[in-house]
Amino acid sequence: KQKSGRLLAFQEMIHQYLDSDGCDDSVVASSLCDNITHDIGDFDCEDAHTMSRLSTDVESLSHHPSLVKPCTSSSIVVEFGDEKSLDYTSLCICKILHGIDSPRIPVLDWYRHPLWGKWRSGKFTSILEAVATIISNF
């Protein structure tokens, strides 16, 4: 099985760190950030096919039973899907699409879901903006 670009970048980061022997950490960190982000592309909001696929995924998640029910793990109650908290709804959906764990979206409950991490190849902020736009149009 072929190694992913992220795994190769991580391995390179470890080798550079261990081989640096006291050199300036900011130089090492700068070169590593360039290596890690080269395989993460910007999300193309202008591509109709891509936006259609993302819109379908967002709509599917916006009706998911475990997201619609009230969250009791937090003292602050924010309603998923409420018009007053569309930014929260967008963030939750984007975290699922990127495969990011949170109290509302525990990894052990979601990692087998087909949409978990499906869009992680794009920049998080770009996906979040696109999801927010899609949700605001519902």
Side-chain angles (χ1 to χ4, degrees):
K1 189 174 181 179
Q2 188 177 11
K3 293 181 181 180
S4 72
R6 291 177 189 223
L7 177 59
L8 292 172
F10 177 74
Q11 288 175 337
E12 178 65 25
M13 177 179 68
I14 296 299
H15 288 295
Q16 286 183 10
Y17 178 78
L18 294 174
D19 294 341
S20 67
D21 291 334
C23 76
D24 185 13
D25 286 342
S26 63
V27 173
V28 174
S30 169
S31 67
L32 295 177
C33 287
D34 293 340
N35 289 339
I36 290 172
T37 58
H38 78 282
D39 69 333
I40 300 175
D42 199 8
F43 183 78
D44 185 10
C45 294
E46 303 299 320
D47 182 27
H49 179 68
T50 302
M51 287 302 290
S52 174
R53 288 182 19 221
L54 180 63
S55 180
T56 302
D57 293 345
V58 169
E59 187 172 354
S60 171
L61 288 172
S62 68
H63 301 296
H64 197 279
S66 70
L67 293 175
V68 177
K69 71 179 181 182
C71 182
T72 57
S73 67
S74 171
S75 61
I76 301 172
V77 178
V78 179
E79 294 289 327
F80 180 88
D82 186 23
E83 286 187 24
K84 293 181 273 183
S85 57
L86 290 179
D87 55 342
Y88 174 75
T89 302
S90 301
L91 185 62
C92 286
I93 289 175
C94 191
K95 284 185 174 185
I96 292 169
L97 296 174
H98 242 265
I100 299 173
D101 182 40
S102 73
R104 180 70 183 233
I105 309 148
V107 68
L108 294 177
D109 294 346
W110 280 91
Y111 77 98
R112 289 188 182 172
H113 193 281
L115 297 178
W116 180 260
K118 179 179 177 181
W119 294 89
R120 74 171 42 117
S121 63
K123 290 182 181 176
F124 184 83
T125 53
S126 298
I127 302 289
L128 181 59
E129 289 171 10
V131 169
T133 302
I134 290 167
I135 288 177
S136 67
N137 291 330
F138 280 166

